[in-house]
């Protein structure tokens, strides 16, 4: 009788065990997003995260078996501090610099490119020929924690005034606090249009730098190197998929090549 009971019970135990295994939650990756930087990342009217870099990272993480939890920060400084402290695991749109490499590991395959451009007021006589030395006499508004390429970042002959976020930068340029601002042209002009002042600005050519954008993993994440390597392998595969091309097209990017607009 006992043997019969055990035989009957075993299949149910197996089913219960299988259900428990299937019900195990996926590991969660905590993503830090700085101020909205559309079309690369940001939040929609419902507060849901959107943007090309975010959706690419979300798809890559899903393929690796992770769920995501997003924390929105007001500025780049706060989000970098969160990555540095280990309270957040990943940033989805970041380029490597020596300073950032102290607290983060980076994928090597760019999943998108972004330009950094000089922006002036529309009534300004300032031009740009591609030589940074020729804008040395002007006060340039920059955003704390951003990189604008190694030449710009390391130049000690430029006058740079840092602010916490892009809206403060935009308002500073509009008010005359700065002679120039440097930012991504798509984002800056989109934000200016939202504020109803897009005709007050002009983007100078050529771009200062075309940044290769990668994923950044906090060095305090358990097995950060292994996680970064897994991301790198999946990104290098993902950029050849139709899903990737669809995300780029959705946000106005044609290819992975550096954008030329």
């Amino acid at each position: 009788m006992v043997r019969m009971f055990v035989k009957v019970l075993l299949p149910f135990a197996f089913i219960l065990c299988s259900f428990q295994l299937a019900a195990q939650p996926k590991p969660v990756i905590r993503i830090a997003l700085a101020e909205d930087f559309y079309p690369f990342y940001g939040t929609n009217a419902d507060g849901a995260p959107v943007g090309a870099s975010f959706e690419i990272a979300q798809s890559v993480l899903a393929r690796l078996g992770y769920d995501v939890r997003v924390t929105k920060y007001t500025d780049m400084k706060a989000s970098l501090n969160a990555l540095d402290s280990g309270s957040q695991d990943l940033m989805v749109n970041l380029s490597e610099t020596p300073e950032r490499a102290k607290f983060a590991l980076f994928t090597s395959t760019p999943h998108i490119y972004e330009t950094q451009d000089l922006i002036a007021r529309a009534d300004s006589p300032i031009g740009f020929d591609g030589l940074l030395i020729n804008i040395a006499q002007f006060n340039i508004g920059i955003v704390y924690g951003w990189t604008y390429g190694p030449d710009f970042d390391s130049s000690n002959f430029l006058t740079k005034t840092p602010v916490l976020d892009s809206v403060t930068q935009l308002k500073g340029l509009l008010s005359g606090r700065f002679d120039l601002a440097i930012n991504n042209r798509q984002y800056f002009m989109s934000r200016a249009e939202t504020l109803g002042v897009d005709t007050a600005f002009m983007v100078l050519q050529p771009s200062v730098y075309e940044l290769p954008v990668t994923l950044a993993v906090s060095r305090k994440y358990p097995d950060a190197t292994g996680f970064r390597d897994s991301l790198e392998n999946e990104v290098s595969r993902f950029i050849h998929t139709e899903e990737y091309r669809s995300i780029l097209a959705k946000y106005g990017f044609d290819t992975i090549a550096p954008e030329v607009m």
Side-chain angles (χ1 to χ4, degrees), residues 45-142:
D46 298 323
V50 294
S53 284
F54 172 77
E55 291 180 25
I56 290 167
Q58 185 180 43
S59 293
V60 165
L61 288 166
R63 287 167 177 245
L64 292 172
Y66 295 97
D67 281 336
V68 302
R69 184 174 72 221
V70 175
T71 300
K72 186 75 163 48
Y73 293 87
T74 57
D75 52 68
M76 180 65 78
K77 180 180 180 180
S79 56
L80 290 174
N81 287 342
L83 201 67
D84 188 7
S85 71
S87 63
Q88 297 294 312
D89 305 318
L90 185 72
M91 290 184 68
V92 302
N93 181 288
L94 212 61
S95 297
E96 184 172 1
T97 67
E99 187 62 30
R100 292 171 178 177
K102 294 175 183 178
F103 58 84
L105 299 175
F106 293 80
T107 52
S108 57
T109 300
H111 60 268
I112 206 165
Y113 286 79
E114 69 180 60
T115 59
Q116 288 297 332
D117 308 277
L118 290 170
I119 298 130
R121 291 184 300 277
D123 59 357
S124 173
I126 300 173
F128 182 54
D129 60 3
L131 299 176
L132 294 176
I133 191 66
N134 290 335
I135 56 169
Q137 70 269 41
F138 302 116
N139 184 12
I140 306 170
I142 66 172

Side-chain angles (χ1 to χ4, degrees), residues 1-2 8 10 12 43 57 64 79-80 86 110 117 120 134-135 150 152 164 167 183 197 214 216 238 251 253 261:
M1 187 68 177
V2 172
V8 172
L10 281 174
F12 289 101
T43 51
L64 292 172
S79 56
L80 290 174
D117 308 277
N134 290 335
I135 56 169
F152 187 96
L164 271 180
V167 173
N183 206 308
V197 292
T214 52
F238 186 70
Y251 290 101
F253 298 97
M261 296 179 62

Side-chain angles (χ1 to χ4, degrees), residues 182-236:
I182 183 168
N183 206 308
N184 172 259
R185 58 184 172 235
Q186 290 170 295
Y187 166 72
F188 190 94
M189 295 306 290
S190 173
R191 180 56 65 93
E193 183 177 10
T194 300
L195 297 173
V197 292
D198 51 306
T199 58
F201 302 109
M202 62 179 176
V203 178
L204 305 185
Q205 297 290 347
S207 296
V208 172
Y209 192 63
E210 287 175 329
L211 288 164
V213 177
T214 52
L215 305 177
V217 177
S218 171
R219 285 186 178 271
K220 293 188 172 151
Y221 184 81
D223 189 19
T225 300
F227 180 45
R228 185 274 313 275
D229 292 347
S230 296
L231 289 171
E232 168 59 27
N233 290 336
E234 193 56 49
V235 167
S236 65

Side-chain angles (χ1 to χ4, degrees), residues 12-33:
F12 289 101
F14 178 77
I15 293 171
L16 178 61
C17 181
S18 299
F19 177 79
Q20 288 175 336
L21 288 174
Q24 289 295 315
K26 295 179 181 178
V28 173
I29 297 300
R30 301 168 298 177
I31 293 178
L33 291 184

